[in-house]
Amino acid sequence: QVQLVESGGGSVQAGGSLRLSCVASGYSYSNVCVGWFRQAPGKEREGVAAISPGGRFKWYTDSVKGRFTISQDSAKNTLYLDMNILKPEDTAMYYCAAAEPPCTIVGRGDGYKYWGQGTQVTVSS
C-alpha cells in the first residue's frame, strides 16, 4: 500500500522558515515526478515546486522562486521543501504528490496518482 506522509507544517511569523518533509512507504521516488502543491481556503490548488524523474530538472512557481527549495533523499525515500522568507500569502495546506512517467513537473498536479494527507502552513504578519 502506497502512503505519502507529510510533516513539518506549523505557524510562523512572516520572514520565518519551515521545512516540510514527505516520507513515502510502499513506493519509491526514483524515476517519478514528485512535487509539492498547496491549496488555500477558497482558492484552487497550485503547484509550488516539483522534481522530474531522476532529479534532473526542478520547477518552482514564480511566487516562491528564491525562497523555497525542493530536494529529495533517495536513501530515505523522503521529499523536502525548505521554505524561507515566508509570507502571509504562503498560508495554505501543503501536499506532496507523485506521478509516474509520462508526467509533468509544471502545474497544479493534475494526473498525479499518489497524494499525502497534507500539512498546514500558517504565516502571520
Side-chain angles (χ1 to χ4, degrees):
Q1 183 180 357
V2 176
Q3 266 194 318
L4 304 182
V5 180
E6 302 99 335
S7 61
S11 297
V12 297
Q13 289 192 327
S17 299
L18 285 172
R19 186 182 222 202
L20 305 184
S21 300
C22 179
V23 179
S25 59
Y27 195 70
S28 172
Y29 285 146
S30 299
N31 299 315
V32 298
C33 292
V34 290
W36 290 96
F37 305 84
R38 65 187 180 187
Q39 187 166 20
K43 294 188 177 181
E44 291 190 350
R45 186 181 69 215
E46 66 169 336
V48 177
I51 301 177
S52 65
R56 184 176 180 185
F57 300 106
K58 295 182 180 180
W59 170 86
Y60 297 90
T61 193
D62 286 345
S63 63
V64 308
K65 286 179 180 177
R67 300 189 298 122
F68 291 11
T69 303
I70 189 172
S71 61
Q72 62 183 38
D73 185 331
S74 297
K76 296 181 179 179
N77 227 19
T78 301
L79 182 69
Y80 300 101
L81 185 68
D82 289 295
M83 305 186 296
N84 298 306
I85 318 175
L86 282 161
K87 303 177 180 180
E89 51 263 44
D90 294 318
T91 295
M93 185 71 80
Y94 283 71
Y95 301 88
C96 64
E100 294 163 358
C103 52
T104 178
I105 60 173
V106 178
R108 61 191 298 267
D110 291 343
Y112 274 55
K113 184 175 182 180
Y114 299 109
W115 291 81
Q117 82 289 349
T119 186
Q120 178 68 37
V121 172
T122 302
V123 184
S124 58
S125 57

